[in-house]
Amino acid sequence: MSKMIYILNGPNLNLLGKREPEIYGHDTLADVETNCAAVGKILGLSVKLQQSNHEGEIVEMIHEARENAAGIIINPAAYSHTSVAILDALNTFEGPVLEVHISNIHKRETFRHHSYVSARADGVIAGFGVNGYALAMQHMGTLLA
Ligand code: CA2
């Protein structure tokens, strides 16, 4: 039976592929889900991609992952830089956690250089565009093999 990977996305990422393509590219979250599902099929992983603009809802998604998921891939978006609540929730999850940023946060404003979530993440990918999600899936396959 395939292992379930939750791919969680934070605020404004519902606009992916629809605004600011010069920073975030042309692919939508639906494209990300399709690509990750294709990579997962090869690795024996299934995916559930979710997005929320609300911090508490993301905390709830992580709690749900505690029951249902073998690993979490998370792009917390702006909450990366502010949310102790999301960090605390991730600290209750026992499987691997991989953090993805579409843009290279270290090349941007200094307030984006620090991520609370990185204190829990087993790996961080930044600046590889939406391909970062598929790369995280590949690594998740290695971690869960
Ligand atoms: O590079 C990333 O993936 C970010 O997590 C994206 C966040 C930003 O706050 C982080 O510093 C870095 C912003 C997500 C906004 O998503 C949009 C997508 C398309 C159009 C507008 C916003």
Side-chain angles (χ1 to χ4, degrees), residues 105-124:
I105 54 175
H106 302 290
K107 199 179 174 187
R108 300 182 67 187
E109 304 96 319
T110 47
F111 68 84
R112 296 185 202 274
H113 294 181
H114 175 263
S115 165
Y116 284 95
V117 168
S118 297
R120 166 61 182 89
D122 298 293
V124 182

Side-chain angles (χ1 to χ4, degrees), residues 11-13 15-16 19-20 24 75 77-78 81 101-103 105 108 112:
N12 298 306
L13 283 166
L15 299 177
L16 196 63
R19 297 275 188 283
E20 300 186 56
Y24 299 111
N75 182 349
H81 318 301
H101 297 284
I102 299 163
S103 64
I105 54 175
R108 300 182 67 187
R112 296 185 202 274

Side-chain angles (χ1 to χ4, degrees), residues 13-91:
L13 283 166
N14 52 310
L15 299 177
L16 196 63
K18 298 168 186 162
R19 297 275 188 283
E20 300 186 56
E22 66 286 358
I23 302 177
Y24 299 111
H26 291 279
D27 283 1
T28 65
L29 271 190
D31 296 326
V32 169
E33 185 169 30
T34 301
N35 290 341
C36 288
V39 173
K41 199 169 178 187
I42 297 162
L43 300 168
L45 304 175
S46 50
V47 300
K48 179 175 177 180
L49 186 145
Q50 295 172 274
Q51 186 276 333
S52 175
N53 294 323
H54 304 280
E55 186 176 21
E57 281 184 8
I58 296 167
V59 169
E60 303 276 9
M61 289 170 187
I62 295 166
H63 292 176
E64 188 189 303
R66 282 164 47 78
E67 308 301 322
N68 299 329
I72 295 176
I73 295 170
I74 184 164
N75 182 349
Y79 289 142
S80 316
H81 318 301
T82 63
S83 181
V84 176
I86 290 174
L87 171 62
D88 286 347
L90 288 170
N91 277 332

